[in-house]
Amino acid sequence: MRALVVGAGPAGCTAAVALARRGADVVLVEADPEVRPSGPGLVLQSAPMRALHSLGLLDDCVGRGHAHEEIDLCDAAGVVRTTLTPPSLLEGRPASVAISRAALSQVLLGAVTASGSELRLGTTVTGLADHGDRVEVSLSDGATETVDVVVGADGLHSHTRGLVLPQAPRPRPTGQLIWRAPGPRPPEVTRYSMLDGGPELGKVGVVPVSDAALYVWLLEPDRGGGRPPPQRLARVFRERLASFGGPVPRVAERLSADVDVRALQTLLVPLPWSGGRTVLVGDAVHTTSPQMAYGVGMAIEDAVVLADVLTEDDVPGSLLRFGERRFDRCRLVVETSVQLGEWEQRPPADPSLPGRLTGRVLAELARPV
Ligand SMILES: Cc1cc2nc3c(=O)[nH]c(=O)nc-3n(C[C@H](O)[C@H](O)[C@H](O)COP(=O)(O)OP(=O)(O)OC[C@H]3O[C@@H](n4cnc5c(N)ncnc54)[C@H](O)[C@@H]3O)c2cc1C
């Protein structure tokens, strides 16, 4: 089987690796001339870690990241109210790991190369012609590839989605802004702390990602009014963080000026997630806001399930089955994250609701894919 994968983010890299491991001949095209993961870091939860483990990539991620067995939920002053202790799903491995996006990308690109897949940077798809028994893919470098299957893993603004599912809904804003910046990790800051300042101040996370580094995020209502100009972003971010205590003052003063601020968006494309021999995976069909910290997780699980269901004798049918197998689980993550985001903006009368919902959904996600 010959496969063409579009996009070298987490979904595309893991799809390339998983398909190549099943014996497929894989070409992975990435529009950017170099792979530039956006944002400083992320958290891999236990179920995605299980998926990474099945690809043999978990230990490398744990080695480059920072293991978290617990998360401290604090008030704005940094006083710990509750400590979450999610269970590990893998013997001898941590419950979750935080890692810089650059390190995760290195692990995944290394695995792409080791799998024998061909990576073509600075290349994108300009056209798809599905002939029933094969797809002819026109590429921006002028080449044409004839393949059995196309995997669109080109993210939230997927061009492939526009080619195969032109009626798919558009991403929509959730009403929140997220600020993120990396910084050095003081030795005493070892735990993932989340500080809740309520709807006005927002929420802050301090996330160690290695022995040397951490990142800080701030989630707040999007009040409109545009972004500060790039040269003022770092200062405005520090001003916002000044309302928070605990580890925040110590880490805020040394944060990098490389601040990423963006409006959160969400998308859940209804089934089918494929048309003929082309299928969409990752953010291209299910973009979640980060409340459950599960977007990369779903992308990796997609890759594992896709390689599991794909059969050469019925590619279109197996792609339809892929979507059916993944939809409910991805909908659970997207809808739960949206609900948690709404409660962050308008807290429920019963303050225990967000914690109870999160616990129930994490237990559900711990079930095998
Ligand atoms: C603020 C924030 C925090 C988050 N935190 C977490 C977290 O802690 N844990 C977690 O699991 N998830 C988290 N996520 C979600 C996660 O970042 C995404 O779900 C994940 O990156 C999706 O992977 P992907 O490969 O589908 O898409 P992307 O990461 O968007 O990768 C798409 C790739 O395709 C390439 N591309 C785009 N268009 C084309 C084209 N036309 N041709 C070729 N290539 C193309 C892009 O350059 C890119 O390399 C967070 C998201 C946000 C916004």
Side-chain angles (χ1 to χ4, degrees):
M1 182 176 305
R2 190 162 166 76
L4 186 125
V5 180
V6 190
C13 287
T14 50
V17 171
L19 293 174
R21 298 260 172 90
R22 293 283 315 272
D25 187 9
V26 181
V27 178
L28 171 58
V29 297
E30 163 59 47
D32 267 353
E34 57 178 313
V35 179
R36 289 175 304 172
S38 66
L42 54 86
V43 176
L44 294 166
Q45 305 272 19
S46 52
M49 286 170 64
R50 179 176 57 195
L52 269 177
H53 187 55
S54 74
L55 295 174
L57 303 177
L58 177 61
D59 291 337
D60 209 358
C61 291
V62 173
R64 290 170 190 237
H66 187 101
H68 292 281
E69 301 290 359
E70 299 184 327
I71 302 176
D72 289 334
L73 304 185
C74 314
D75 62 17
V79 177
V80 179
R81 290 172 176 161
T82 322
T83 296
L84 297 180
T85 49
S88 167
L89 299 180
L90 295 164
E91 179 88 34
R93 305 302 197 302
S96 66
V97 65
I99 184 168
S100 82
R101 288 193 183 242
L104 176 65
S105 184
Q106 278 168 13
V107 171
L108 298 183
L109 289 171
V112 167
T113 308
S115 75
S117 303
E118 182 194 346
L119 172 63
R120 289 194 206 157
L121 296 172
T123 309
T124 185
V125 169
T126 54
L128 295 175
D130 192 326
H131 298 287
D133 62 342
R134 67 192 190 286
V135 190
E136 279 178 12
V137 188
S138 309
L139 298 174
S140 55
D141 60 5
T144 301
E145 285 288 336
T146 302
V147 297
D148 299 290
V149 61
V150 176
V151 181
D154 44 354
L156 173 64
H157 302 292
S158 171
H159 175 63
T160 316
R161 185 177 65 228
L163 294 176
V164 281
L165 301 176
Q167 308 302 332
R170 316 300 309 159
R172 68 171 182 84
T174 67
Q176 290 179 296
L177 276 187
I178 190 154
W179 300 68
R180 291 173 298 168
R185 181 178 76 80
E188 70 279 14
V189 178
T190 56
R191 296 171 71 80
Y192 183 172
S193 302
M194 236 186 254
L195 295 86
D196 190 350
E200 272 309 300
L201 296 177
K203 265 187 181 167
V204 167
V206 176
V207 195
V209 291
S210 70
D211 287 349
L214 52 68
Y215 70 96
V216 175
W217 55 258
L218 163 70
L219 192 56
E220 61 169 13
D222 186 352
R223 300 180 180 90
R227 314 276 159 78
Q231 67 276 15
R232 288 196 58 233
L233 275 182
R235 210 178 79 204
V236 177
F237 189 29
R238 270 200 294 274
E239 284 166 9
R240 296 280 210 283
L241 293 174
S243 309
F244 292 86
V248 177
R250 236 170 313 154
V251 300
E253 63 191 22
R254 296 179 66 200
L255 281 180
S256 153
D258 183 16
V259 177
D260 180 280
V261 57
R262 62 183 67 198
L264 292 181
Q265 301 194 62
T266 185
L267 172 73
L268 181 66
V269 174
L271 292 178
W273 285 353
S274 56
R277 289 174 171 266
T278 301
V279 68
L280 300 166
V281 297
D283 273 19
V285 268
H286 48 70
T287 301
T288 178
S289 52
Q291 278 79 5
M292 298 292 296
Y294 229 89
V296 168
M298 284 191 293
I300 298 167
E301 288 181 355
D302 281 355
V304 171
V305 173
L306 178 64
D308 188 34
V309 301
L310 190 56
T311 57
E312 202 164 354
D313 54 353
D314 181 17
V315 171
S318 46
L319 298 184
L320 288 171
R321 284 193 291 282
F322 160 77
E324 283 155 13
R325 196 159 137 193
R326 293 295 295 150
F327 185 78
D328 285 346
R329 192 173 168 92
C330 296
R331 177 170 62 183
L332 185 66
V333 173
V334 171
E335 291 182 349
T336 303
S337 302
V338 167
Q339 176 64 76
L340 292 171
E342 280 171 7
W343 281 335
E344 282 163 356
Q345 298 170 75
R346 287 168 287 280
D350 176 356
S352 71
L353 273 182
R356 281 179 16 225
L357 176 66
T358 305
R360 207 169 58 237
V361 171
L362 284 178
E364 175 68 28
L365 293 170
R367 290 151 71 116
V369 293

